[in-house]
Amino acid sequence: MSLRSGRRLSAALRSVGTTVAEWDADARLLSRIKQERPDAVVVALHGGEGENGAVQAVLDLLGVPYVGTGPYACRRAWDKPTAKAELARAGLTTPDWVALPHATFRELGAQAVLDALVAKLGLPLMLKPDQGGSALGAHVVRDAAELPSAMVGALSYGDAVLVEQFVEGTEVAITVIDGPDGPEALPAVQIEPADGVYDYTARYTAGLTSYHAPAEVSPEVAAAAGELAIAAHRLLGLRDVSRTDAIIDRSGTPHFLEVNVSPGLTETSLLPMAVEAAGRSLGEVFATLVERAISRSR
Ligand SMILES: Nc1ncnc2c1ncn2[C@@H]1O[C@H](COP(=O)(O)OP(=O)(O)OP(=O)(O)O)[C@@H](O)[C@H]1O
Ligand SMILES: [Mg+2]
């Protein structure tokens, strides 16, 4: 995924006249950066390595300008319960949730804890790792009997599970790009998985999911989704680019699920679809962000 994103981005940047080198995040990276002193770096890594702030902290250490969010804000966005708590505190809508570490189930008895979760949050529930991506370890639970295996599934990807009320509705992803007048939301992209769940297979198998860009929602709902994504971008201190995942319920209210600081850039990714729906090009958008990164460092 990261490799494909990197290649697509390189091609887009080259098409607008930018000189690009593609480097893996491996043991050679630091010496390459020190020797070649790039004007700016674009982090096209997804998952923990690119989104938890580690690479960004190292780039800060080296004093190299980069496109995207700084290390601490990356961490805040990467940890789903932390991001949700920030948004909820500001009065924004996010599904009610409880996040618990593995040890709690072990020490207090899994069944008793699960019973308490259902009593508080009701059914259906969404269980997922508290950090992570690509819907790995995410499960919808419609019957309490499915809870133990869903919990084990989520905990196999991390140390804690996020248990959330399941929101029935229309899934959208909203890309936010920083512009001269502050953060701007691109048209929301609507996601329609063939069997209703946007899981790993639905994401990366051609034809299993259809997308609408812009989303087929009313102008008021589209505006509300854009406002939610801009609020998330601002509240969490994100920079340059982010993508908020949300579900619009039957009444038209968008619910914040999570925000990505390093959104996918492949042919089947949501950010490039939003850029195209906005009548812009991926190369132009990222070349402008690269310029912003360079001018920040001056
Ligand atoms: N509370 C919820 N109600 C309904 N569906 C949900 C809920 N939470 C997650 N989902 C579904 O599960 C998918 C994965 O959830 P989420 O976006 O939180 O995780 P992710 O694995 O981090 O994904 P990404 O790869 O986009 O970072 C969503 O795209 C959505 O289809
Ligand atoms: Mg997501």
Side-chain angles (χ1 to χ4, degrees):
M1 271 303 286
S2 297
L3 278 178
R4 278 168 57 209
S5 283
R7 264 183 229 126
R8 169 97 191 267
L9 179 64
S10 300
L13 281 169
R14 286 189 186 112
S15 76
V16 295
T18 310
T19 307
V20 186
E22 291 166 48
W23 295 341
D24 289 328
D26 60 17
R28 284 169 306 172
L29 182 66
L30 296 199
S31 58
R32 276 175 156 169
I33 289 177
K34 280 188 197 149
Q35 263 161 31
E36 309 207 16
R37 281 278 142 202
D39 296 325
V41 169
V42 185
V43 182
L45 283 170
H46 315 308
E49 42 185 6
E51 303 207 58
N52 65 10
V55 170
Q56 290 80 0
V58 170
L59 293 171
D60 277 344
L61 204 62
L62 300 178
V64 192
Y66 55 92
V67 170
T69 299
Y72 299 111
C74 280
R75 269 213 96 71
R76 210 154 49 216
W78 173 244
D79 189 67
K80 290 176 183 176
T82 304
K84 283 168 66 73
E86 291 278 344
L87 267 81
R89 203 155 56 120
L92 295 161
T93 307
T94 185
D96 277 349
W97 80 99
V98 175
L100 290 171
H102 198 171
T104 305
F105 293 96
R106 239 184 358 243
E107 286 158 15
L108 306 183
Q111 197 53 52
V113 175
L114 292 175
D115 289 347
L117 285 168
V118 174
K120 171 84 184 355
L121 297 172
L123 287 168
L125 290 171
M126 189 76 201
L127 268 69
K128 51 193 165 184
D130 65 338
Q131 306 176 336
S134 299
L136 292 167
H139 296 273
V140 187
V141 170
R142 296 186 184 277
D143 185 316
E146 303 157 17
L147 263 175
S149 68
M151 178 200 72
V152 170
L155 286 171
S156 69
Y157 287 93
D159 281 340
V161 59
L162 170 57
V163 182
E164 212 174 55
Q165 280 180 345
F166 183 85
V167 182
E168 213 74 61
T170 305
E171 180 159 1
V172 289
I174 312 107
T175 298
V176 172
I177 307 278
D178 280 338
D181 306 319
E184 190 195 334
L186 301 185
V189 178
Q190 181 177 346
I191 300 154
E192 257 174 28
D195 63 359
V197 183
Y198 191 43
D199 57 15
Y200 191 84
T201 318
R203 283 167 194 229
Y204 304 121
T205 313
L208 272 193
T209 298
S210 42
Y211 302 92
H212 307 282
E216 293 171 347
V217 296
S218 72
E220 294 76 25
V221 169
E227 279 160 25
L228 176 71
I230 289 174
H233 189 89
R234 283 216 168 98
L235 276 168
L236 296 169
L238 309 185
R239 191 166 67 186
D240 293 332
V241 55
S242 68
R243 194 198 79 215
T244 285
D245 295 340
I247 301 208
I248 297 167
D249 70 16
R250 298 254 152 76
S251 76
T253 302
H255 297 245
F256 171 88
L257 294 185
E258 54 134 5
V259 64
N260 302 274
V261 297
S262 180
L265 301 172
T266 71
E267 291 66 29
T268 54
S269 297
L270 302 158
L271 181 150
M273 293 181 206
V275 167
E276 198 186 320
R280 297 172 69 178
S281 84
L282 196 62
E284 168 261 312
V285 166
F286 272 86
T288 308
L289 293 179
V290 166
E291 286 306 322
R292 282 177 66 88
I294 294 171
S295 57
R296 262 201 302 271
S297 72
R298 287 205 187 103

